């Protein structure tokens, strides 16, 4: 009678709760691993919490594999079964499932709403299959999913829009897409993801195309010591344009043909009078506390003294009506569940407003104005300067005759005594009477020089001003 009473109290001794053949039952655990099963044993005990069916030959999981509702089942293990088909209604009777292992099977597609009945699922293992197609609604209603393993498949495109904030997977903290056939990923969108998700976003061992945005994404992750980058640096490789061999993505800095430059981490630019928000992008999801320190060393725990600095509920720091002295490096101190973390954000404040009048002229505008002014001045110089011509004007004084003078150029090739052959522009020359050489007036007057009659004509009177001419062939008279 005692044994009968114990069997009635045991969950396995109740009606429909006997332990299936070739399985091992311990409390609410049911292990049928390596039992050479081709179908799921039935009926399953109602109180089963963990069901291990791994390493069998269950190739199809139909809707009736669980004939009755299993309200306590939270872990189902079906790895290494050669599973090729899973019905969209296969999980109707196990709504409390939190851990589902379908790894190392032969699944090829993830159909529409395949897991939509598992609203409490937290861990889904699908690695080492033959999956090539993923429907974007396959993970519908998985609001509590935290870890999704899809490595070692044939996925060429994964709907990464599922990772955006407020989408179907709001709690996802780990996504393994390693060893697939991804050739491109939206690096800009991935950079916008929170750091606690990028810390567990695995992309290694994919034939990615080399791109500078991808390099900068991973380079930031290496600086932040994100696990998905730091632990798999050698496996993060890509194809250069026109090349057939893979190269390390993190070795692309400054190398041809891409010549990628390293990105600055957490640098924010703003203008005077703007309002900006500095994000504290910690890789810890369960943050206990955080605070900010300004460039001046002041600790920000709440509103600033004048209300211009505000600590938001999500840990971000908001700066209002920026001033030049607000520029500098801000640090965010985070107390994580395991370790503490310090993040730095550099704020650059330009000394002019974005939409108002500038305090200083823009450099390009100044250069353009300078060029225009230079061209105008050159045109004025060329076309508006006074006219210089060889013709004499009616009121101008005629040029003095070129005679030997103590002030004449010693290098001049003009003859010492030249007689004019004509009057320029038909004007009347002033009489030479009463004037000397170089237009100087001579009181006593000087007799005019005789006209040359031949190649050798001797001067009768020597001009006293000609004694300084070094090219004169006339003897110097003392």
């Amino acid at each position: 009678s005692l044994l009968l009473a114990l069997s009635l109290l045991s969950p396995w001794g109740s009606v429909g709760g006997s332990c299936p053949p070739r399985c091992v039952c311990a409390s609410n655990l049911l292990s049928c691993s390596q039992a050479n099963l081709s179908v799921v044993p039935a009926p399953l005990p109602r109180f089963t919490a963990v069901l291990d069916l791994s390493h069998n030959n269950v190739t199809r999981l139909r809707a009736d594999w669980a004939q009755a509702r299993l309200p306590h089942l939270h872990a189902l293990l079906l790895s290494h079964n050669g599973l090729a088909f899973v019905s969209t209604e296969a999980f109707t009777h196990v709504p409390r499932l939190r851990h589902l292992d379908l790894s190392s099977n032969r699944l090829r597609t993830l159909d529409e709403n395949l897991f939509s009945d598992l609203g409490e699922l937290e861990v889904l293992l699908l690695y080492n299959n033959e999956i090539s197609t993923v429907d974007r609604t396959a993970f519908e209603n998985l609001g509590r999913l935290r870890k999704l393993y899809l490595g070692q498949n044939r996925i060429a495109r994964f709907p990464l829009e599922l990772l955006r904030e407020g989408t179907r997977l709001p709690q996802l903290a780990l996504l393994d897409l390693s060893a697939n056939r991804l050739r491109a990923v939206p690096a800009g969108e991935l950079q916008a993801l929170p750091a606690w998700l990028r810390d567990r976003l695995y992309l290694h061992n994919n034939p990615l195309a080399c791109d500078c945005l991808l390099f900068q994404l991973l380079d930031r992750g290496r600086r932040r010591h994100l696990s998905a980058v730091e632990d798999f640096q050698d496996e993060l490789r890509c194809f250069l344009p026109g090349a057939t061999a893979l190269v390390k993505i993190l070795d692309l800095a400054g190398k041809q043909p891409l010549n990628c430059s390293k990105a600055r981490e957490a640098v924010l630019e703003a203008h005077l009078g703007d309002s900006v928000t500095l994000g504290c992008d910690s890789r810890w999801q369960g943050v206990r506390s955080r605070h900010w320190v300004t460039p001046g060393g002041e600790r920000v725990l709440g509103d600033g003294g004048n209300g211009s600095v505000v600590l938001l509920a999500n840990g971000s720091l908001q700066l209002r009506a920026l001033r030049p002295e607000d520029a500098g490096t801000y640090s965010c101190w985070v107390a994580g569940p395991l370790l503490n973390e310090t993040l730095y954000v550099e704020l650059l404040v330009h000394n002019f407003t974005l939409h108002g009048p500038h305090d200083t002229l823009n450099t390009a505008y100044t250069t353009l104005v300078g060029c225009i002014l230079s061209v105008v001045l050159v045109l004025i110089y060329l076309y508006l300067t006074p006219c210089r011509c060889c013709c004499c004007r009616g009121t101008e004084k005629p040029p003095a005759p070129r005679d030997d003078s103590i002030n004449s150029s010693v290098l001049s090739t003009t003859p010492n005594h030249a007689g004019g052959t004509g009057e320029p522009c038909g004007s009347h020359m002033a009489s030479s009477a009463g004037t000397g050489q170089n237009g100087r007036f001579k009181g006593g007057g000087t007799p005019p020089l005789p006209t040359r009659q031949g190649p050798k004509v001797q001067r009768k009177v020597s001009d006293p001003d000609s004694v300084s001419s070094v090219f004169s062939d006339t003897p110097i008279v003392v």
Side-chain angles (χ1 to χ4, degrees):
S1 60
L2 180 60
L3 292 176
L4 178 61
L6 291 176
S7 63
L8 292 175
L9 293 175
S10 172
W12 305 110
S14 59
V15 178
S18 60
C19 188
R22 293 182 287 181
C23 297
V24 177
C25 302
S27 182
N28 59 355
L29 305 181
L30 177 57
S31 176
C32 302
S33 179
Q34 299 182 3
N36 197 25
L37 300 174
S38 59
V39 294
V40 179
L44 292 172
R46 182 174 182 272
F47 297 98
T48 304
V50 177
L51 177 57
D52 185 3
L53 295 170
S54 61
H55 296 276
N56 282 289
N57 297 314
V58 181
T59 59
R60 300 176 72 85
L61 192 66
R62 301 180 182 276
D64 58 350
W65 72 272
Q67 298 178 358
R69 188 179 179 88
L70 302 175
H72 301 284
L73 187 65
H74 63 79
L76 176 59
L77 310 179
L78 280 165
S79 62
H80 297 278
N81 268 278
L83 192 64
F85 171 78
V86 177
S87 172
T88 55
E89 299 177 354
F91 307 106
T92 303
H93 292 159
V94 288
R96 298 294 181 86
L97 205 62
R98 298 196 302 269
H99 183 101
L100 177 58
D101 186 359
L102 298 174
S103 63
S104 299
N105 282 293
R106 296 180 180 176
L107 297 175
R108 295 184 178 181
T109 61
L110 299 181
D111 295 328
E112 181 180 359
N113 297 316
L114 181 59
F115 306 105
S116 60
D117 292 327
L118 302 177
E120 298 185 11
L121 190 65
E122 297 179 0
V123 179
L124 178 56
L125 288 81
L126 291 164
Y127 63 86
N128 193 26
N129 275 277
E130 301 174 4
I131 301 172
S132 59
T133 305
V134 179
D135 191 276
R136 63 181 59 205
T137 64
F139 308 105
E140 194 76 34
N141 299 329
L142 299 185
R144 296 187 180 181
L145 187 64
R146 297 181 57 252
K147 298 180 180 180
L148 176 57
Y149 295 87
L150 284 165
Q152 300 183 40
N153 278 284
R154 302 175 182 178
I155 301 174
R157 184 193 178 279
F158 180 80
L160 291 172
E161 57 268 18
L162 299 176
L163 306 180
R164 295 171 185 166
E165 186 176 358
T167 56
R168 300 179 181 89
L169 304 175
Q171 300 295 325
L172 191 64
L174 184 150
L175 176 58
D176 181 13
L177 292 172
S178 63
N180 274 281
R181 298 179 179 179
L182 297 175
R183 294 187 176 275
V185 292
E189 295 185 15
L190 296 182
Q191 181 59 41
L193 295 175
W196 52 264
L197 179 52
R198 284 185 283 121
D199 187 39
R200 296 290 188 272
L201 177 59
Y202 298 96
L203 297 171
H204 56 278
N205 288 331
N206 274 285
L208 297 169
C210 294
D211 182 77
C212 286
L213 291 179
L214 177 63
F215 162 75
Q216 293 173 355
L217 170 70
L218 299 179
D219 188 50
R220 290 190 182 98
R222 178 173 57 180
R223 295 185 187 182
R224 294 285 305 278
H225 304 287
L226 301 184
S227 300
V229 178
E230 193 171 44
D231 297 341
F232 298 95
Q233 296 187 37
D234 294 336
E235 289 80 12
L236 286 166
R237 296 174 175 268
C238 63
F239 282 104
L240 286 169
T244 57
L246 288 167
V247 298
K248 293 182 180 180
I249 299 177
L250 293 175
D251 291 343
L252 293 177
K255 292 186 177 180
Q256 298 297 333
L258 296 181
N259 195 22
C260 298
S261 60
K262 293 186 176 182
R264 296 181 298 175
E265 175 69 18
V267 177
L268 185 63
E269 298 187 27
H271 302 81
L272 290 179
D274 289 352
S275 295
V276 297
T277 301
L278 309 182
C280 189
D281 191 18
S282 173
R283 59 178 172 167
W284 304 121
Q285 191 172 7
V287 175
R288 298 194 305 267
S289 63
R290 71 183 84 196
H291 67 272
W292 285 85
V293 177
T294 65
E298 299 179 0
R299 184 171 177 174
V300 181
L301 296 175
D303 293 348
N306 55 2
S308 61
V309 182
V310 179
L311 184 61
L312 303 180
N314 61 356
S316 301
L317 185 68
Q318 187 178 64
L319 305 176
R320 303 171 180 171
L322 288 178
R323 303 165 297 174
E325 54 268 24
D326 291 331
T329 302
Y330 293 77
S331 56
C332 178
W333 298 72
V334 179
L338 300 177
L339 298 172
N340 296 333
E341 185 180 17
T342 304
L343 306 176
Y344 300 94
V345 180
E346 182 182 356
L347 177 62
L348 305 177
V349 180
H350 298 289
N351 60 348
F352 57 86
T353 59
L354 182 60
H355 302 290
H358 289 191
D359 294 338
T360 58
L361 289 177
N362 184 273
T363 303
Y365 177 76
T366 306
T367 304
L368 178 61
V369 172
C371 293
I372 293 175
L373 291 178
S374 300
V375 172
V376 171
L377 292 176
V378 169
L379 293 176
I380 292 175
Y381 177 79
L382 292 176
Y383 295 101
L384 298 182
T385 50
C387 178
R388 293 187 178 92
C389 59
C390 62
C391 299
C392 300
R393 302 181 186 274
T395 58
E396 289 183 353
K397 182 179 179 181
R402 294 179 176 267
D403 293 330
D404 290 343
S405 169
I406 194 173
N407 297 321
S408 63
S409 173
V410 296
L411 299 179
S412 175
T413 58
T414 306
N416 293 332
H417 306 283
T421 58
E423 297 180 358
C425 301
S427 62
H428 297 281
M429 297 290 293
S431 173
S432 62
T435 59
Q437 294 177 355
N438 294 328
R440 290 194 299 269
F441 178 78
K442 300 177 67 174
T446 302
L449 296 177
T451 305
R452 294 180 182 267
Q453 300 296 330
K456 293 183 180 181
V457 178
Q458 188 177 10
R459 293 200 311 176
K460 300 297 183 180
V461 180
S462 175
D463 188 350
D465 290 337
S466 65
V467 295
S468 62
S469 177
V470 297
F471 293 107
S472 176
D473 55 356
T474 307
I476 298 176
V477 180
V478 181

